[in-house]
Every structure is written in C-alpha cells, then in structure tokens.
Amino acid sequence: MTSTPAPRVVLLAGGVGGSTFATGLRDELAERGGELAVVCNTGDDLWLNGLRLQPDVDSMLYALAGVKDLAQGWGRAGDSRRVADELAAWGVGWEWFLLGDLDLGAHIARTSWLREGLNPTEAVARLQSRWDLGATLLPMTDTEVDTHVILDAAGHRLHFQEWWTRHRARLEPVRFENPGIEASAPAPGVLEAIAGADAILVAPSNPIVSIGPILAVPGLADALQTAAAPVAGVSPIIGDAPVRGMADVCLRVAGVPCTTAGVAAHYGARGDGGVLDAWLIAEEDAKAAASVAALGIAAHVEPLWMTDAARTRALAVAALRAVGL
Ligand code: FO1
C-alpha cells in the first residue's frame, strides 16, 4: 500500500488506450485521496466543417465522464447521426469521418469559446466542468500543431485523421510532422503539474503519434528528465503487436522495432537522457525484461490487457507500484 498520502500523479496520454487506462487510474487515486492531471496529445486535433475537433482530449473527457462509446473506442455512447447525414446530403465535410450529434455539441461549444477568445486550455476546462471527472485534463499545448503524414519525397501530405480514418493507415508514410511544434510551448499548468507530481506515468498510447507529439513540445521532455518524481510507462505493445490502432506502421516509419523493448529503448532511460525509470511489460513479453533492464529501465512484468474495469484498475495499481506508490 502507498506510503504517500494523497499522491499527485501526472499521466501523459493519447485517446483510445490512454483514456481507458486513465479511468482505472482515476478510480484508484480517488480511493487514495490522490489527484490526477492528464496531459493529452493534441496532435490528432483538426479543423473540420468550421469546427475545432480534439479527438484525444474528447476521448479522455468522455471516458472519465462515463459517456464514451466503449465498443467503438471514441465518441459518445448512444450517439446518433442526424446532422452527419444532413452534412453528407449537402456534400460538406468528410463522409468517412463520423461526427455524431452529441459529439458535435462538444465541437460547437469548444469552437464558440475559442471564437470568444478563450485559449484551448480554458475551453477544455469549460468542457470538463460539466462533469466531475476526478481528474484535470490539460492539452499538451495551446498552439495548433496538428499531425501531418508525409507520403513521399515531394512532401505530399495528409492530415493524420484522413490517413487513419479514410485510408486506415494503408498509405505508407515517409514521416510524421507536427508543423509549428518547435515554436510551441507547454499549455498553462503542464510544467507546474509535472514539477509538483509525486509520480508521472506514460499511458499505453501510440509512442509516435500520441506520446511523440507530447514529448516534442519544447520543454516537456526536459521537464520529465528533471522531475523529482519517478516516471513509469505502460507498454502499448503486447506480443510484438499493438493492442489496437496503427502503432506498428508508425513505429516502422520511425525505425523503432514493434516490440516492447523497442518502444522502451525509443523512450530511453532517464539516466541516459530519456524519460523512463520503469516500464510495464506484458506477461507475454516476459522474455524482454532482461533487455529492458539492460537499458537502465526497471522492467515490471504485469497483465496489461485492459479487458474490463477490474483489470484496468489492477493495471493502474501496478503502474503506481512501479513508481513506489
Ligand atoms: N475514428 C474512426 O475510425 N472513424 C471516424 O469516423 C472517427 C470520427 C471521429 C470523430 C470525432 C473524434 O473525436 C474522433 C473520431 N474518430 C474516428 C477517432 C479518431 O480518429 C482516432 O481514433 C483518434 O484520433 C486516435 O487517437
């Protein structure tokens, strides 16, 4: 059991897997009287139909509020598509990108607030004030740094959402880019949360297009490097394959082996200029523990499948144990 009363934990996360993990972590910390701040990837964000969408922020918001469509992994449970069908009839937008009616409510609210002059962090604060999430959601940055997928040497590019939802990652990229990220800064509250944390966790999210943009915001990886708190990550790779999504394609493009040890090496040990002190690997990958340990990262073999709330909670407990909580 924990010796730290009311631990303050920061989670770096993308949307689908990250938000599932966050629910278990939130539940566990609530029982310990702790606090959770979630730094969300905003690389998946986009403008569509005149609206600002933040898919990972919204997945996190809906999951923590208990209104996420769990089977689909994104969007609102029980959503309908009356507006989407109208937009398709008008020939507006992307017919392959479904905007549910309830989900559209969030996009319209956010865009209204941005037009009124709120920054994205303030808009996210308003969105989350509707529910008692038991966590504080922070976008990684307030600068628009939407992920682009570069398809060839001539620089032809697609927005990440078009590459993923329309082409299902079948077009082989040459690289991913977040235009403007070098000039961006962490959003208000992000560095303060990291500096004040008792523990920092990296969710089982896509290492390249979810956690990658977070760590690429200037100052963020440095903040993890110098944080007083230990940092543990949960492998998104089990048995040499991503749990869901297209991390295998992203890792190949980045030249990172699609293995739990490959991702651990990509993040690197804090003692070696990287960001991890500890790495949770699946029982299926127990043989990789030695090569993770050889990187200077403590390997913890645990059941990683978040197939129900109890297993998700148990994984959160294991991650907290890995950072001494
Ligand atoms: N994912 C899909 O596979 N198809 C969709 O039509 C789709 C619509 C969508 C609308 C709003 C939103 O916030 C997310 C949406 N997603 C959709 C999920 C999203 O594309 C990705 O799964 C995440 O960005 C990856 O983290």
Side-chain angles (χ1 to χ4, degrees), residues 9 11 18-38 60-67 131-137 201 312-313 316-317 320:
V9 177
L11 175 70
S19 66
T20 304
F21 181 72
T23 58
L25 187 59
R26 182 268 320 266
D27 293 347
E28 180 61 25
L29 288 172
E31 203 154 281
R32 300 186 191 190
E35 284 174 32
L36 176 62
V38 184
M60 194 59 74
L61 176 73
Y62 298 157
L64 291 170
V67 300
W131 293 286
D132 179 11
L133 299 186
T136 304
L137 304 193
L201 298 176
T312 302
R313 176 85 173 258
V317 170
L320 291 171

Side-chain angles (χ1 to χ4, degrees), residues 262-279:
V263 176
H266 171 70
Y267 285 142
R270 279 222 295 179
D272 195 22
V275 298
L276 291 179
D277 297 307
W279 187 233

Side-chain angles (χ1 to χ4, degrees), residues 49-120:
N49 303 334
L51 300 172
R52 187 65 176 157
L53 276 52
Q54 297 197 288
D56 283 1
V57 169
D58 290 349
S59 289
M60 194 59 74
L61 176 73
Y62 298 157
L64 291 170
V67 300
K68 188 169 95 158
D69 183 329
L70 296 175
Q72 190 170 243
W74 50 270
R76 290 281 297 265
D79 213 343
S80 48
R81 48 177 306 152
R82 296 192 68 195
V83 178
D85 288 345
E86 276 300 291
L87 289 170
W90 291 115
V92 168
W94 288 347
E95 75 273 11
W96 65 86
F97 197 75
L98 177 63
L99 295 177
D101 295 328
L102 300 176
D103 194 29
L104 270 164
H107 308 320
I108 293 169
R110 171 172 32 240
T111 309
S112 306
W113 293 325
L114 293 175
R115 293 232 163 98
E116 285 166 18
L118 270 65
N119 63 38

